[in-house]
Structures are given as C-alpha cells and as structure tokens.
Amino acid sequence: MSGNSTMVANDAVFGGLAECFITIDGRRYNFMSMTDFESTWEVKIADIPILGQVGMGHKAAGGKGTWSGTAHYNQSVFRMMADKYQKTGIMPYFEMQVSNEDPTSTVGRQTIIHRGCLCDKFTLAKFQAGEGEALDEELSGTFESWDIPEKFADMEGV
C-alpha cells in the first residue's frame, strides 16, 4: 500500500442542492429556476520577450469572468432587464450568489458572490409545440469580480 490518502466518495458534492440568488437594483431574487450554472475566470497571459533567452516568458496580465447556465422559462427577471435597457439605454449590473452544500459531504459549504454581472443575451419569447418538454432558456454573461465568504473545508489527507 502506498500510504497515499484518497477521497471518500461522500465528499463529492451533489450539485442539485445548490442555491442561486441574484440582486438587481437592490432587490434580491431566489433564482430557483436555474437548473445548471458555471462561472469561470480566464486569466489573460501576456507573452514577454526576454533578451538573451530563446523561449518566451509569460506574465499574468488581467482576466475576464464569464458565467452561463440554463433556467426554466418561467420567470421574467432577465426579460425585464432587457426591456429596461432597450427603452432607457441603462443596463443594470447585478450580483449573483451561488452556494453549494451537500449534507453528506464533510467539506461543508462554499459560497461565491459574483459582482458586476451583466447578461450578454436574452431570450424574449419562445414556444415548443408537441415535444411535451418544459421550456428552458440559456443564460450567459460576464462578471467583474467575486468574493468567497464561505469556502469548502479541506478534506482529510489534503
């Protein structure tokens, strides 16, 4: 036996117990319509030429946050945001808070608050006859920064 620790299967976090809240113009919504969500931070890496060296150096030079998800087509929060923008030219920034917690896992709870969020596309209206499926919509956008007020605990052996 190698002596290496391994993860306990129960420490894999079940995603269906997540929570998602958005705050727009001071109003907080429980965005329970979301069925999947992912946010990423892409670091821009600049090439740095270095005299006397054949290889190129690299340096972190900024980043960009993006988010995407799917929601049931049963709320008008984002459509109202799009309507405000097309009528006034004002696109409201918002916050999106996502928490993951699985009571069967020992890692506890993690919360990420995405700040300076914008949507980059809006589904205005849709229908689908004959399929027998519930309607959903794809959502996506950007964010400028984030905070982590709650983080997962280290697993035993980490």
Side-chain angles (χ1 to χ4, degrees):
M1 202 167 178
S2 70
N4 287 337
S5 294
T6 59
M7 187 183 91
V8 176
N10 269 355
D11 283 339
V13 176
F14 176 64
L17 298 176
E19 298 175 324
C20 182
F21 294 90
I22 58 174
T23 303
I24 305 168
D25 293 331
R27 182 166 176 201
R28 190 170 194 237
Y29 300 88
N30 183 347
F31 213 62
M32 64 185 93
S33 298
M34 293 291 278
T35 59
D36 69 59
F37 176 85
E38 182 175 60
S39 63
T40 60
W41 182 258
E42 183 180 346
V43 177
K44 180 181 178 192
I45 304 294
D47 290 339
I48 306 296
I50 300 172
L51 186 63
Q53 182 174 310
V54 175
M56 188 69 67
H58 303 94
K59 182 174 183 167
K64 178 181 180 181
T66 58
W67 62 270
S68 63
T70 304
H72 293 294
Y73 181 77
N74 63 359
Q75 51 71 36
S76 296
V77 173
F78 285 113
R79 277 174 280 290
M80 296 308 297
M81 187 184 304
D83 188 54
K84 179 178 181 176
Y85 179 60
Q86 66 107 12
K87 288 179 177 170
T88 68
I90 298 170
M91 174 67 86
Y93 285 87
F94 60 95
E95 289 182 0
M96 186 175 291
Q97 176 182 316
V98 176
S99 298
N100 294 96
E101 184 174 26
D102 179 346
T104 66
S105 174
T106 65
V107 299
R109 181 179 175 94
Q110 175 178 275
T111 298
I112 306 287
I113 302 172
H114 305 80
R115 303 201 188 276
C117 297
L118 289 172
C119 280
D120 60 13
K121 68 177 182 174
F122 299 92
T123 300
L124 297 180
K126 71 183 295 181
F127 66 83
Q128 183 176 351
E131 292 293 320
E133 298 280 328
L135 293 177
D136 62 13
E137 61 184 309
E138 299 299 316
L139 301 167
S140 62
T142 60
F143 63 95
E144 295 179 1
S145 65
W146 73 93
D147 291 307
I148 309 175
E150 298 174 297
K151 70 174 195 71
F152 289 132
D154 291 340
M155 293 178 286
E156 189 174 326
V158 172

